[in-house]
Amino acid sequence: MPYAMKPLGCDPARIKGMSERLIISHYENNYGGAVKRLNLIDEKLAELDYANAPGFLINGLKREQLIAMNSMILHEVFFDGLGEQSEPDAVLRAALARDFGSYERWRSEFLAMGKALGGGSGWVLLCWSPRDRKLVNQWASDHCHVLAGGTPILALDMYEHSYHIDFGAKAASYVDTFMAAIRWKNAEQLFEQMSKD
């Protein structure tokens, strides 16, 4: 069954500091492009004669499938995490303090990681690590480098497409704007689901 675009989890006209044009372009072109690409790759894989296909073809298609699938998933976490300026609830705030020393230390690290990716590309992810039963910030490149077994609960897209329309080369300003537009309710729900297991 083909993948479908998830409805936009935020109101693109109400993200303070980000234009509706930026959000819609990012959603339709980049997230939508990942979903379309994933469906096309899956079609090719369904037609593939694995017994006779050369290894480079299998490897290439499976690599592209992983990139497109993770791009789709991470964009969904990104858009679901945008909304209004808010603060994490007491449970998530306490978990951040436990795992990073303080909420402020978590925030400082996450901000610094985002700004360090300015002019480059990748993701900054707040993930739940079931192995260690804690939250970790992680850097991810090429939509593929995700913590093994981890689940992202907050995603900051640092690919240029996510900010260039509004911010040009001012990636640090985009990171600050993102931090002020986090809809913590989504991260709280994901954290609650993950930390119960």
Side-chain angles (χ1 to χ4, degrees), residues 111-132:
L111 264 166
M113 289 173 68
K115 291 178 180 182
L117 274 171
S121 56
W123 294 86
V124 180
L125 306 173
L126 173 60
C127 293
W128 172 251
S129 171
R131 178 187 181 274
D132 298 322

Side-chain angles (χ1 to χ4, degrees), residues 38-166:
L38 178 57
N39 286 327
L40 290 171
I41 293 164
D42 282 356
E43 284 177 22
K44 293 294 180 193
L45 286 167
E47 298 166 356
L48 197 61
D49 175 4
Y50 285 97
N52 296 307
F56 71 85
L57 182 59
I58 296 167
N59 287 342
L61 284 169
K62 292 304 284 184
R63 178 182 182 280
E64 291 302 316
Q65 181 189 43
L66 177 63
I67 291 170
M69 188 173 291
N70 278 358
S71 179
M72 176 184 71
I73 292 167
L74 293 175
H75 275 102
E76 290 170 357
V77 176
F78 170 79
F79 287 118
D80 286 348
L82 283 178
E84 67 281 347
Q85 185 170 7
S86 62
E87 293 291 326
D89 69 7
V91 173
L92 183 53
R93 194 178 191 96
L96 289 166
R98 176 195 69 214
D99 297 336
F100 291 90
S102 68
Y103 166 74
E104 292 74 21
R105 175 111 177 127
W106 165 80
R107 190 177 192 288
S108 177
E109 181 181 309
F110 197 89
L111 264 166
M113 289 173 68
K115 291 178 180 182
L117 274 171
S121 56
W123 294 86
V124 180
L125 306 173
L126 173 60
C127 293
W128 172 251
S129 171
R131 178 187 181 274
D132 298 322
R133 310 253 344 124
K134 70 177 192 173
L135 293 164
V136 296
N137 285 331
Q138 76 137 117
W139 167 91
S141 176
D142 203 17
H143 310 293
C144 289
H145 303 107
V146 180
L147 179 69
T151 301
I153 67 167
L154 181 67
L156 169 57
D157 188 344
M158 287 305 298
Y159 285 86
E160 198 173 69
H161 66 249
S162 65
Y163 59 86
H164 197 268
I165 289 173
D166 285 358

